[in-house]
């Protein structure tokens, strides 16, 4: 029995089975899936590239922000250093500093924003640096002027001290000169006594006077002299001290008129009597007065009379009294 693929004649044709499309669908599905995966991979790649670009841009922006922040910090450091070393600023510099403080506030406000305008901030920082530069230049100029002023003050002070020292020397010399002048005038104004006479006088009962050298007959000593003319000594009352030394070498004193006075060269000295004389400048003035001891008795021997004025001895004289004989 043989089989063949061809139908026999007269036989009824057999019905063909339907076509199977599943393979095509599977193929399309696989192609679509592959396409979707490809797109996803491609899109993911694009997203990653975009993210990378954004990260780069952010990094650049952050770097620029940091760079601007550093510039700002540097400007602040310069400003702090400037104001720290110059606490005393003039009113003009203080006004500039206020402008800088306002600009600093604006920069700080701009940099504090989330979406800061870095270009604007950079421009304001450049303006800030410019103002700081101007302030630095002005401060340096003022420092130079202050240094020059200090040097000038030191020079003036040194010159003043020199002048003061010179003035002190001049004043000292002047004082010495004035003292010397006063001393010379003082000495020059001291009067001088000339023509000194000591006359022992015997006064008779009738009142008649007679000179004598006999001690027991003397009643008074008449002392006379001239005050020479002096063109320096002013007119007026002149105080004269008369010191009488007896034959025994002791000063003769009288309780009613004696005392002590200070001389220029001999220290304190006892005077016998003090006489006030009215003197007229530039004219010779005669002086005469009587003196006798209160006991009324004179010793024999030499009597010395010294006359003082202005602390200086201006004249002296001596007189001897003798004992006398029977007919003396």
């Amino acid at each position: 029995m043989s089989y063949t693929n061809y139908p026999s004649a007269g036989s009824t044709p057999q019905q063909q089975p339907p076509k199977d499309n599943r393979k095509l669908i599977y193929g399309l599905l696989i192609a679509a899936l592959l396409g979707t995966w490809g797109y996803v991979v491609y899109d993911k790649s694009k997203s990653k590239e975009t993210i990378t670009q954004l990260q780069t841009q952010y990094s650049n922006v952050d770097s620029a922000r940091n760079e601007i922040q550093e510039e700002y910090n540097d400007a602040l450091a310069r400003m702090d250093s400037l104001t720290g070393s110059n606490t005393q600023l003039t009113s003009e510099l203080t006004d500039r500093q206020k402008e800088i403080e306002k600009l600093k506030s604006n920069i700080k406000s701009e940099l504090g924003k989330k979406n800061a305008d870095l270009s604007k901030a950079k421009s304001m920082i450049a303006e800030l640096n410019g103002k700081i530069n101007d302030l630095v230049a002005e401060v340096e100029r003022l420092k130079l002027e202050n240094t020059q002023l200090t040097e000038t003050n030191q020079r003036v002070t040194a010159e003043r001290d020199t002048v003061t020292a010179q003035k002190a020397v001049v004043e000292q010399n002047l004082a010495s000169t004035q003292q010397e002048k006063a001393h010379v005038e003082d000495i020059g104004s001291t009067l001088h006594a000339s023509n000194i006479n000591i006359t022992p006088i015997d006064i008779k009962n009738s009142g008649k006077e007679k000179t004598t050298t006999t001690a027991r007959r003397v009643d008074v000593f008449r002392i006379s002299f001239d005050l020479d003319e002096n063109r320096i000594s002013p007119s007026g009352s002149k105080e004269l001290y008369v010191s009488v030394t007896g034959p025994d070498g002791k000063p003769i004193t009288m309780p009613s008129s004696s005392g002590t006075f200070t001389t220029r060269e001999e220290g304190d000295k006892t005077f016998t009597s003090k006489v006030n004389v009215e003197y007229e400048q530039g004219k010779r003035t005669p002086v005469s007065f009587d003196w006798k001891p209160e006991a009324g008795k004179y010793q024999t021997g030499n009597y010395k009379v010294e006359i003082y004025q202005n602390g200086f001895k201006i004249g002296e004289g001596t007189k001897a009294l003798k004992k006398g004989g029977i007919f003396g």
Side-chain angles (χ1 to χ4, degrees), residues 17 37 78 93 108 136 141 155 177 194-195 218 232 268 301:
W37 285 350
R78 290 176 62 205
L93 297 186
K108 183 178 181 181
V136 168
R141 184 184 67 81
R155 185 176 67 254
T177 301
S194 62
N195 301 323
V218 177
I232 298 177
D268 290 343

Side-chain angles (χ1 to χ4, degrees), residues 18-30:
K19 293 182 178 180
D20 189 357
N21 294 328
R22 285 180 297 177
K23 293 181 178 180
L24 178 59
I25 294 171
Y26 290 155
L28 292 173
L29 289 173
I30 291 170

Side-chain angles (χ1 to χ4, degrees), residues 168-184:
V169 172
V170 170
E171 288 178 346
Q172 184 177 0
N173 292 339
L174 179 60
S176 299
T177 301
Q178 289 175 338
Q179 290 177 356
E180 185 64 25
K181 178 183 177 183
H183 179 65
V184 171

Side-chain angles (χ1 to χ4, degrees), residues 29-319:
L29 289 173
I30 291 170
L33 181 60
L34 290 174
T36 301
W37 285 350
Y39 176 76
V40 169
V41 171
Y42 173 77
D43 184 63
K44 186 175 181 181
S45 175
K46 283 290 185 180
S47 297
K48 186 175 182 180
E49 182 179 352
T50 301
I51 290 172
T52 301
Q53 290 176 350
L54 289 175
Q55 288 177 340
T56 300
Q57 291 177 1
Y58 178 79
S59 178
N60 291 338
V61 170
D62 189 58
S63 177
R65 177 189 287 271
N66 291 337
E67 182 179 346
I68 291 174
Q69 185 67 47
E70 288 181 2
E71 290 182 12
Y72 178 58
N73 292 340
D74 290 342
L76 293 182
R78 290 176 62 205
M79 187 62 195
D80 291 341
S81 175
L82 179 64
T83 56
S85 60
N86 298 275
T87 55
Q88 295 180 348
L89 299 177
T90 63
S91 58
E92 181 181 353
L93 297 186
T94 303
D95 292 339
R96 293 189 184 184
Q97 190 178 11
K98 290 180 180 179
E99 295 177 1
I100 290 174
E101 291 296 330
K102 182 178 180 181
L103 191 55
K104 282 168 53 180
S105 177
N106 293 338
I107 294 172
K108 183 178 181 181
S109 176
E110 186 63 37
L111 291 177
K113 294 179 181 178
K114 185 175 182 181
N115 298 319
D117 187 343
L118 299 183
S119 177
K120 180 179 179 181
K122 191 173 183 66
S123 176
M124 287 191 293
I125 291 174
E127 183 182 356
L128 175 63
N129 280 321
K131 290 184 177 295
I132 292 176
N133 289 337
D134 292 342
L135 187 58
V136 168
E138 185 65 15
V139 169
E140 290 301 321
R141 184 184 67 81
L142 292 176
K143 281 184 177 179
L144 179 59
E145 290 182 355
N146 186 60
T147 300
Q148 293 173 343
L149 182 60
T150 300
E151 292 175 353
T152 300
N153 287 339
Q154 291 175 346
R155 185 176 67 254
V156 170
T157 300
E159 291 175 353
R160 182 200 63 194
D161 293 342
T162 300
V163 171
T164 300
Q166 292 174 345
K167 179 183 177 184
V169 172
V170 170
E171 288 178 346
Q172 184 177 0
N173 292 339
L174 179 60
S176 299
T177 301
Q178 289 175 338
Q179 290 177 356
E180 185 64 25
K181 178 183 177 183
H183 179 65
V184 171
E185 289 178 348
D186 181 40
I187 295 176
S189 65
T190 302
L191 301 174
H192 179 262
S194 62
N195 301 323
I196 300 174
N197 289 305
I198 305 171
T199 306
I201 298 177
D202 177 14
I203 302 176
K204 303 298 183 178
N205 292 332
S206 63
K208 184 178 179 180
E209 297 180 354
K210 180 182 179 181
T211 61
T212 180
T213 58
T214 302
R216 65 184 181 85
R217 294 185 178 279
V218 177
D219 291 310
V220 296
F221 265 164
R222 179 160 295 160
I223 301 172
S224 63
F225 55 89
D226 292 332
L227 292 177
D228 296 341
E229 59 184 38
N230 187 308
R231 298 187 180 279
I232 298 177
S233 184
S235 299
S237 179
K238 304 297 180 182
E239 194 172 59
L240 307 180
Y241 293 93
V242 179
S243 177
V244 180
T245 303
D248 57 2
K250 295 180 180 180
I252 296 176
T253 60
M254 295 183 295
S256 61
S257 62
S258 297
T260 59
F261 69 106
T262 301
T263 68
R264 303 291 186 99
E265 299 171 344
E266 303 171 65
D268 290 343
K269 188 174 180 66
T270 300
F271 66 88
T272 305
S273 182
K274 181 169 63 174
V275 181
N276 289 317
V277 178
E278 288 298 323
Y279 175 79
E280 186 174 353
Q281 186 180 38
K283 291 187 176 182
R284 182 179 296 271
T285 303
V287 179
S288 179
F289 63 93
D290 293 343
W291 165 83
K292 68 177 180 178
E294 291 189 350
K297 294 182 179 180
Y298 291 88
Q299 304 175 32
T300 59
N302 292 326
Y303 286 83
K304 181 170 69 172
V305 177
E306 299 171 292
I307 305 166
Y308 291 84
Q309 190 264 325
N310 195 28
F312 293 99
K313 183 190 292 187
I314 64 172
E316 68 175 58
T318 59
K319 191 67 177 180

